[in-house]
Each structure stands twice: as C-alpha cells, then as structure tokens.
Amino acid sequence: MATNYTISTQAYFKLFFHAAKHPHKSVNGVLLGNKAQNGTITIEDAIPLLHHWTSLSPMMEIGLDLAGQYAESSGLKLVGYYQACERLDETALAPVGERVAGKVKAGFEDAIAFVIDGEKIGTEAAALIPYVSQSSSSSWRPAAGSAFTPGSPFQLASSDLPVRAIAHVRDDHLHHAFGDFDDHLEDVSIDWLRNRTCIPADL
Amino acid sequence: MSLSSALQQLASYRANNTRASQETFKKGVTILKSRNAPNLGEDGWAFLEQLALASIDIGRLDVADECTKQLSEKFPNSPRVAVLVGIRKEASESPESVLRYYDGVLEEDSANAAIWKRRISVLKRIGKTEKAVDELSKFLDTFYTDVEGWLELADIYSSCNQYTSSLQALSHALVLAPQNPFTALQFAETAYTAGDLPLALKMFLVVTEMVERDIPAPEDSAPTGISVRAWWGVKLCSRRLIESPPSSPSASDTPVPKTIKLIDELATERVLTSYSGEQGAEGRQLVSQWISAY
C-alpha cells in the first residue's frame, strides 16, 4: 500500500519562492515533517540549501546537518529533499540529489524526493515530481501513478496553493527577501532556516 | 527615479555583468520609450544590447526585437550583433535551427568566440553534454585565456561526477586568475566532493589567506563574506581528518598537515566568531551545537 504524503502551505510556498528567486539556476533544499498516527507523512516545512555550485558537497553537508539539528529542536524530522533543475525539461534527480536523498532516507524510512517540474511551475499544477527508492543505497525512481490529483498518495494541504504562491511572487514579491544557506554563508544574519519575513501573514 | 540615476544603475549592471533582468527591463523600457536612446552617445548602443538581453530573459520579445532592429540597422554585419540575434533566436526557434544559424556565422568568421560559446551553451541546454564538453575543450585550445570557459568546463565535469577533470579545468582558471578567491574556493569544494580532504583543506586555507591578506589584524575581527564559507570548509575538513585519519595518501598526494589539531582549533574559533555579533545571534546556538557534536 502506498504511503500518503501531504505538503503544507508553508513548505510549498518556501520551495516555490526558492525556485522563483533563482529562475535560471538549480536550487535544492530539504523537507521537514513527521509521520502521523495513521501513517501519513506531513511535510510541514522546507529549508533551502543551495543555488550555487549545486554539484559540490561540503556546504550541502553542513547545511544538511544544521537543518537536521533545527528539525529536532522543532519536534520535526528530515523527511525529504527537493530540487529544481537549470533546464526546464530536465526532470531527473541529479546524482547529488540522490546522495542527499539517500542520507535523509537513512534517517527516515519513508523519505521522499521532489523534482520541480520546470514546464508546469507557474500554472495551477503543483508541478512537483515525486521520487522514491527502495532503500537508502538504491537508486531513486519517479513514483508510480499520478501525483497531486484527487486520490493520489501525494497531496497539497489545499489545491489552490500553486495559484496563491504565484500571486505572492508576482504581486507581493515575497521571494525577494528569501534566503538560503548559500546566502547565509555570505551574510550570517540571513534567516535561512525560517525565512520569517517571506511567510504571508494569512497562512 | 530620474533618467540619469536609472542610466547610472544600468551602467553599473553592465560593468558588473549583473543579471538583474526584471530591474533592467523596468528602467530600460522607460528610457527606450522616452526615445532618448540614440542620444545617449556611445553608451546608447551598449544600453540597447543590455535591454534586449533583459527583455529576452523575462519574455518580452517585442521589446527585444525593437532594440535588436535598431542595433542591426546601425551596425550591419557586426559580429557582436550577430550574437544578440542568435540569443533572440534561442528564445523562440528550435535548437537545431539556432545551431544552424551559429554554424553559418562561424563558417564566415571562425574567430567569433562569443558565437562559439553560444553554440556550446545550446548543446548543453539540449542535453548533449558530451558534445558540449568536446566543443568547449576545442574552444579552450584556441581561446586558452577565457577564464569563464574553464569555469564552465569545471562545472559541467562536476555535474557528471568527473571531479579529476573538473580540478584540471579549475587549475587552468587558477593560473589565469590567481588572485580570484572564488576560483580557489570552487577548487577547494570540488576537491572535497572528490574525496580529497587534504587538498580541500589546503585550498580552503589558501582562500582565507587570499581574503585576509589585506586585513591588518584578521584575528581580531570576525570573518565576513567569503571568509565565513572558507573557514567553514577548513572546519569541516579538519574535523573529518581528525576523526578518521586517512589510511592511504590523498589522490593528489597532499599530506595532512602535522598541525591539524591546531588548524581545527583555529577554524572552530573563526567560525564561532563569525556568529559572535548581533548579526549571528540567531544562528550561534545551532552552530555551537554542531561544533561540539564531535
């Protein structure tokens, strides 16, 4: 039986803003959440890591460690990984993505990875392609079946999240203030773990 | 915003090669509409090129066409305008059609480096990575001093896990631009990704030295900017080298420094100091926790 995953508003907005801030680059980050009593994995938050030298690992490792510590202190676990590719038509999980997702899976059995669909992002579609793997050392493959449609094991907290995210980028420019770990390394005052100023008040 | 300050901002974007396309378009299109462009003198043409590129970037091909038209009329048969025309084509024509256009231009003028690079970037974009690497290597044989080309080659190799080749390309970039700490940093991070910790450590330290060279007493102030990243790199490497001393020599035969424990202590102090001010207050606890986890 397939595991169910729900992406919260905050998590979706954050990964959307990350991609929107660097439209011509690859970006990646991790997902935080928990497994509920009924077995559903709720993805509560997203923490952005890199938008620069995304094939190189040292800063990603540090960022991953710090994100993991932050998760623990907030009662959450690292449950997944997301990335957006440079090219619109590229939907594969990069080798580096497989490595990070593998690490997350070693700590959380139901870990999930999402690749942002460059062709669909900016429409009302969720534009996320889920990837799953059998074990932390095996390769990741696109999850079978459709995603983010009625009845699919992958759901958004509410179906209007993509449209709302677009409005927040286009009209409120919330993504301008968004900072990831790369930004934080240049200026330690950047709030990469929470990105408080980018979360709309009416979440 | 006045016309002159808008022009100044755009000029500074050009000088720094900044890709702030939304901003550039907003300011640029006002200037274009005011019909002042031809009166901007020499800069006017660079401005039109800049606006064309920004317009293509955000999808306003109509404005891009207006700019390109003016430039083509003023500079017929210009190699530089040919590049702009090519980029405009990339936005709406098929990759095969664009490649044919670039091949055509190169046939007439094989020394047009910019066109060659555009061709390579199209190959990369359509996923023909091997061909792109091949072409880029040939390009660099001819245009050896093109630092950007070496960095691009390094990046492509890294994305395919070919770290040794990436480091070789970065070595060339370092020879050409030895004062650029970002190149040394990319080298350090690539070496780390390749598993060569002693080499990575050495290069991270080189970065800190390059950046702090002009600071009179760096130990008395908190690291900022690229230093922070470099010291984090030193800390990561020294920690791992102390925890699991390598049993075999590194791929580059770089020795582990005898003073590794002292380096680790220094890096610890430098990283924590980066978070010591008001700026770093939020992150400090998490960072201390990470540091004391070992």
Side-chain angles (χ1 to χ4, degrees):
Chain A
M1 212 198 83
T3 316
N4 290 318
Y5 297 84
T6 307
I7 303 184
S8 75
T9 308
Q10 175 158 311
Y12 188 81
F13 280 179
K14 279 171 130 191
L15 63 79
F16 194 97
F17 294 163
H18 198 197
K21 183 153 185 192
H22 307 284
H24 56 277
K25 296 201 177 132
S26 302
V27 299
N28 62 28
V30 287
L31 302 168
L32 273 54
N34 267 316
K35 185 169 187 157
Q37 287 281 38
N38 64 3
T40 302
I41 314 293
T42 42
I43 296 168
E44 309 277 3
D45 203 1
I47 296 189
L49 292 173
L50 310 177
H51 61 271
H52 183 232
W53 296 342
T54 49
S55 312
L56 304 182
S57 62
M59 301 304 138
M60 187 135 48
E61 282 183 22
I62 299 173
L64 191 60
D65 276 352
L66 293 174
Q69 283 172 218
Y70 171 77
E72 245 186 75
S73 72
S74 325
L76 298 171
K77 299 196 176 64
L78 286 182
V79 302
Y81 167 84
Y82 73 86
Q83 70 169 62
C85 311
E86 232 175 46
R87 288 165 38 203
L88 286 188
D89 56 350
E90 173 80 69
T91 54
L93 193 60
V96 125
E98 288 217 12
R99 272 214 295 267
V100 179
K103 279 209 169 112
V104 174
K105 192 168 174 95
F108 186 80
E109 232 203 281
D110 298 298
I112 187 76
F114 289 106
V115 174
I116 293 179
D117 186 338
E119 306 271 11
K120 298 222 178 83
I121 191 113
T123 66
E124 329 90 50
L128 294 175
I129 303 167
Y131 277 75
V132 292
S133 92
Q134 303 292 51
S135 78
S136 61
S137 51
S138 57
S139 62
W140 291 71
R141 249 167 269 151
S146 67
F148 305 103
T149 49
S152 147
F154 302 98
Q155 295 294 338
L156 295 180
S158 100
S159 57
D160 64 347
L161 291 189
V163 172
R164 281 165 60 191
I166 294 170
H168 283 309
V169 165
R170 190 193 51 217
D171 308 326
D172 312 321
H173 306 303
L174 285 184
H175 61 308
H176 282 177
F178 194 78
D180 59 14
F181 189 52
D182 259 336
D183 297 317
H184 173 83
L185 287 169
E186 286 181 38
D187 174 1
V188 301
S189 69
I190 288 179
D191 178 24
W192 69 290
L193 291 163
R194 293 170 202 81
N195 271 300
R196 281 188 210 88
T197 53
C198 302
I199 312 294
D202 64 344
L203 209 67
Chain B
M1 170 164 263
S2 74
L3 186 67
S4 64
S5 55
L7 285 170
Q8 239 174 19
Q9 176 67 287
L10 292 178
S12 108
Y13 281 161
R14 284 196 303 274
N16 296 319
N17 212 7
T18 311
R19 185 175 178 169
S21 299
Q22 292 276 10
E23 267 306 297
T24 304
F25 180 81
K26 215 167 72 179
K27 298 196 166 76
V29 92
T30 328
I31 298 174
L32 185 72
K33 285 194 165 50
S34 75
R35 298 179 185 287
N36 271 320
N39 303 331
L40 297 174
E42 285 304 308
D43 278 353
W45 306 110
F47 158 76
L48 283 176
E49 182 190 44
Q50 179 186 25
L51 180 56
L53 290 169
S55 309
I56 296 171
D57 214 9
I58 64 160
R60 285 297 302 271
L61 301 178
D62 52 337
V63 175
D65 286 335
E66 230 184 281
C67 298
T68 319
K69 181 157 158 283
Q70 286 192 40
L71 284 166
S72 305
E73 277 165 14
K74 173 71 180 175
F75 303 103
N77 300 321
S78 149
R80 190 162 159 177
V81 175
V83 178
L84 193 56
V85 167
I87 294 175
R88 167 65 185 85
K89 280 179 193 286
E90 288 183 40
S92 54
E93 291 180 26
S94 77
E96 293 73 35
S97 158
V98 176
L99 285 172
R100 274 197 301 273
Y101 168 75
Y102 286 143
D103 285 339
V105 178
L106 284 171
E107 250 180 60
E108 312 245 313
D109 176 13
S110 60
N112 194 329
I115 291 272
W116 205 342
K117 289 206 277 190
R118 279 323 305 169
R119 206 185 111 82
I120 293 166
S121 80
V122 172
L123 289 170
K124 184 179 164 195
R125 176 163 58 92
I126 60 178
K128 295 222 162 107
T129 317
E130 251 187 67
K131 190 128 207 308
V133 165
D134 213 38
E135 286 279 324
L136 186 47
S137 305
K138 276 205 206 98
F139 170 85
L140 289 165
D141 275 342
T142 314
F143 296 100
Y144 177 78
T145 56
D146 194 313
V147 182
E148 187 187 65
W150 288 111
L151 294 177
E152 180 65 34
L153 187 59
D155 196 44
I156 300 177
Y157 278 135
S158 293
S159 66
C160 308
N161 295 358
Q162 291 183 47
Y163 304 116
T164 313
S165 304
S166 180
L167 289 173
Q168 275 167 6
L170 286 169
S171 308
H172 290 287
L174 278 173
V175 162
L176 292 166
Q179 307 302 333
N180 191 332
F182 289 97
T183 311
L185 187 61
Q186 187 174 350
F187 193 101
E189 298 202 12
T190 307
Y192 182 91
T193 313
D196 192 336
L197 263 52
L199 181 59
L201 174 64
K202 178 169 141 184
M203 288 311 282
F204 276 125
L205 285 168
V206 164
V207 178
T208 60
E209 198 210 15
M210 270 186 192
V211 176
E212 294 172 358
R213 189 175 293 166
D214 300 318
I215 303 176
E219 61 275 11
D220 291 340
S221 53
T224 52
I226 187 182
S227 275
V228 176
R229 193 174 174 125
W231 282 116
W232 265 114
V234 176
K235 176 64 196 170
L236 183 65
C237 290
S238 56
R239 177 162 109 174
R240 284 189 59 186
L241 284 168
I242 291 174
E243 234 171 66
S244 347
S247 45
S248 50
S250 87
S252 57
D253 243 339
T254 313
V256 178
K258 296 200 175 64
T259 50
I260 187 77
K261 292 231 161 80
L262 288 174
I263 292 176
D264 184 60
E265 268 178 43
L266 176 60
T268 304
E269 186 273 328
R270 293 278 84 202
V271 170
L272 285 172
T273 309
S274 315
Y275 286 86
S276 60
E278 214 189 281
Q279 315 282 68
E282 275 223 21
R284 200 176 318 149
Q285 217 236 331
L286 221 55
V287 173
S288 314
Q289 198 185 327
W290 185 85
I291 291 193
S292 39
Y294 287 79

